Amino acid sequence: MGKLEIRNLSKAFPREDGSSLVVLDNISLEVQDKEFVCILGSSGCGKTTLLRMIAGLDSAESGSIVLDGEKMKGTDARVGMVFQEYSLFPWRSVIDNIAFGLEMQGMTKDDRYRLAERYLKLVNLTQFRDSYPSELSGGMRQRVAVARALALDPVLLLMDEPFGALDAQTRNMLQKELLEIWEATKKTVVFITHSVDEAVFLSDRIIVLTPRPGRICQVFPVDLSRPRDRTSPAFAQVRREVLDLINLNCSIQ
Amino acid sequence: MDEVSTIAGKVQRVKDHWPGILAIILTLIAWHCYAIFLIRNRFLLPGPVDVFFAFIALLQKGVLLSDFRVSLIHFAIGLGGALLIGIPIGIVMGWNSRMDAFLNPIIEILRPIPPLAWIPFAIIWFGFTPVSAGFVIFMGAVFPILINTYTGFRGVSRIFVEAGRMLGCTRTRDQIRYIAFPAALPSVISGIRIATGVGWMCLVAAELFGVSNNGLGKDLWFFYDLHQMDSVVVYMILLGLIGLVIDMIFRYYIEGRFLKWRTGEVA
């Protein structure tokens, strides 16, 4: 299971002059089990803050986050995260990065390597088992980060613009791979992006945020069948609709 | 890189180093000529040949080896103590900003005191024991280790700690052990490397000033009193070479073993 409910979530950061900056204003949304949801918004709209709060890395001002009927407090073993920047531990080899969470759980070396190797295979990096992150390309590093998050078998996978720093070709390839992994493992995914194209390609539903303060502007279901062809007219049509909608309703006020 | 033990590899290595070897040979020749033809006074400047025979004589007497052993004990006590004290304090200060604010003034007041200024108290507190010389070395070595550990921990990227938290590394002890310490290790190791250099210099001075009855620094002084300057040069060269070897161990063994993940990074 992996049903996420966010109710009336608000967050403000204090400013130098004593006032406070409202980053998220009364966000409520539901993500169904095994659903792939993209949160789309321009930079500064609070989408990363929203994800960090779901992850338990930031605390909310008010409101609640509920996963499978259980209110979340702090970080949670049921939630995995792939960060925007390279968050792999550079002092650990690929296999030891993937096995890190299992090591924290106290699993023996043999067991955790056996499990980690499964996820290594899932992201097609078997031959880089003993490499260090510094020896990998950007795309490979993010693949390892995905494997590392999945190794703990979370019900909810959070992804914070994980492919934002990659070139277009690599990004498209990783998007395809991510969908394959998602089909195979059936996690609930909340994926942050500022790319309409990426959101339309990946998600079941797109949630568009407006900035300052971050509010949900529109929820947009994507009813295209998978695998999606980003060059098809249907895909282009959906993308246009989303873009029009953003320009009409969700631009910066 | 491990398989460079082939003959071709050795030849290549000699080729790579020959300008340096040539420079050493030229220096020896120049030294020899200068001492023999210009100074012509073994007390003012012993030549390389004198030094070599003095070295043989000292080796036969067996002094060198026992001096070496004693000095190494002094050094080990000082450096060991510096690691034991410097790393934990550096960790605590680097991890916890309240401890940082609390301890920082004391550290900043003690740190600029030259280690040799502790010699009187070293003698009063520890007498003429190895601990006494070790203490002076400790005072020289502890601050580079402490400061570098501190700096390393301060610089640990927040994203590593957060990634760790998402993977179930939530206890402070685990975060230090599994994330902050390995992330800070390059800085810690370079601190230790600086500390070995400073410590080695303090060693000679500590022994020189009578904190010890034995050791390389002590006997350097002893032979000066006897006006055997060729023996003094033997000790000088030995001290330099041992310092070099300690540093090489760091450069090639420690860094190669613990920081091999940094190859390929711009460090």
Side-chain angles (χ1 to χ4, degrees), chain B residues 6-29:
Chain B
T6 57
I7 295 170
K10 272 183 183 160
V11 170
Q12 186 56 46
R13 285 227 297 264
V14 171
K15 268 187 187 164
D16 287 346
H17 289 302
W18 78 263
I21 295 165
L22 184 72
I24 292 171
I25 293 169
L26 286 176
T27 307
L28 282 172
I29 292 170

Side-chain angles (χ1 to χ4, degrees), chain B residues 170-210:
Chain B
T170 46
R171 282 187 305 177
T172 303
R173 202 175 43 146
D174 288 341
Q175 286 172 351
I176 290 174
R177 181 173 160 198
Y178 291 104
I179 294 167
F181 191 73
L185 197 60
S187 179
V188 176
I189 285 180
S190 77
I192 299 171
R193 197 173 150 196
I194 296 166
T196 57
V198 177
W200 194 244
M201 287 179 205
C202 294
L203 172 122
V204 174
E207 291 176 357
L208 260 171
F209 280 91

Side-chain angles (χ1 to χ4, degrees), chain A residues 178-199:
Chain A
L178 175 64
L179 285 179
E180 282 163 18
I181 290 169
W182 174 68
E183 303 272 356
T185 57
K186 281 298 174 195
K187 308 284 178 197
T188 307
V189 179
V190 177
F191 190 107
I192 301 272
T193 182
H194 58 249
S195 155
V196 175
D197 180 78
E198 187 167 60

Side-chain angles (χ1 to χ4, degrees), chain A residues 6-244:
Chain A
I6 296 169
R7 297 190 198 120
N8 311 104
L9 203 66
S10 294
K11 174 83 179 174
F13 287 122
R15 269 198 292 219
E16 297 261 326
D17 59 9
S19 68
S20 65
L21 176 74
V22 180
V23 187
L24 291 174
D25 186 25
N26 202 23
I27 302 265
S28 292
L29 68 96
E30 259 181 41
V31 182
Q32 299 308 316
D33 183 37
K34 301 179 179 60
E35 191 181 15
F36 199 126
V37 165
C38 275
I39 295 175
L40 183 68
S42 53
S43 44
C45 73
K47 55 193 193 301
T48 293
T49 308
L50 175 59
L51 201 75
R52 288 176 57 85
M53 281 158 68
I54 302 172
L57 293 171
D58 281 342
S59 56
E61 211 105 296
S62 61
S64 62
I65 299 164
V66 177
L67 182 62
D68 291 334
E70 216 179 296
K71 200 173 167 187
M72 294 209 286
K73 277 185 198 145
T75 54
D76 194 308
R78 296 172 299 165
V79 182
M81 175 125 165
V82 179
F83 290 85
Q84 182 177 9
E85 315 138 68
Y86 297 134
S87 63
L88 295 182
F89 304 130
W91 57 88
R92 284 179 166 248
S93 63
V94 165
I95 190 79
D96 279 326
N97 261 286
I98 298 174
F100 182 84
L102 305 168
E103 191 178 337
M104 290 301 112
Q105 288 183 344
M107 199 180 271
T108 64
K109 199 169 185 167
D110 285 348
D111 286 347
R112 64 173 189 259
Y113 276 4
R114 203 171 309 126
L115 209 64
E117 265 153 15
R118 280 222 322 256
Y119 288 96
L120 192 64
K121 208 169 156 190
L122 190 71
V123 295
N124 300 318
L125 285 174
T126 315
Q127 69 269 43
F128 293 98
R129 183 186 188 279
D130 298 313
S131 304
Y132 285 93
S134 61
E135 299 165 309
L136 304 181
S137 69
M140 292 184 203
R141 289 185 204 183
Q142 289 307 69
R143 282 205 198 106
V144 176
V146 170
R148 184 174 71 171
L150 288 175
L152 284 176
D153 200 21
V155 292
L156 173 63
L157 184 63
L158 306 174
M159 305 186 83
D160 183 9
E161 293 189 51
F163 310 143
L166 306 176
D167 63 90
Q169 240 177 325
T170 313
R171 192 187 311 147
N172 289 353
M173 198 167 68
L174 280 172
Q175 287 167 1
K176 219 182 277 174
E177 285 181 17
L178 175 64
L179 285 179
E180 282 163 18
I181 290 169
W182 174 68
E183 303 272 356
T185 57
K186 281 298 174 195
K187 308 284 178 197
T188 307
V189 179
V190 177
F191 190 107
I192 301 272
T193 182
H194 58 249
S195 155
V196 175
D197 180 78
E198 187 167 60
V200 174
F201 186 77
L202 290 173
S203 56
D204 295 324
R205 253 188 325 149
I206 301 172
I207 293 160
V208 184
L209 287 191
T210 39
R212 281 178 279 273
R215 286 200 185 102
I216 292 180
C217 167
Q218 198 86 36
V219 179
F220 199 98
V222 183
D223 291 324
L224 296 169
S225 63
R226 292 189 177 92
R228 292 172 186 166
D229 176 6
R230 39 166 51 95
T231 56
S232 72
F235 190 95
Q237 178 62 32
V238 175
R239 192 166 51 193
R240 186 174 308 124
E241 281 170 30
V242 176
L243 276 169
D244 286 347

Side-chain angles (χ1 to χ4, degrees), chain B residues 203-235:
Chain B
L203 172 122
V204 174
E207 291 176 357
L208 260 171
F209 280 91
V211 181
S212 158
N213 283 326
N214 230 324
L216 294 165
K218 181 70 187 177
D219 273 342
L220 182 138
W221 202 239
F222 173 77
F223 285 109
Y224 163 69
D225 281 340
L226 296 182
H227 288 201
Q228 290 184 19
M229 297 313 284
D230 44 4
S231 299
V232 171
V233 177
V234 171
Y235 278 95

Side-chain angles (χ1 to χ4, degrees), chain B residues 21-68:
Chain B
I21 295 165
L22 184 72
I24 292 171
I25 293 169
L26 286 176
T27 307
L28 282 172
I29 292 170
W31 173 20
H32 179 77
C33 296
Y34 193 67
I36 297 297
F37 301 116
L38 284 166
I39 302 288
R40 282 185 282 184
N41 182 335
R42 282 185 176 184
F43 179 68
L44 268 186
L45 182 66
V49 180
D50 302 324
V51 172
F52 178 74
F53 284 116
F55 172 69
I56 298 293
L58 286 168
L59 210 57
Q60 278 167 344
K61 272 196 277 180
V63 235
L64 281 182
L65 214 63
S66 68
D67 279 340
F68 176 64

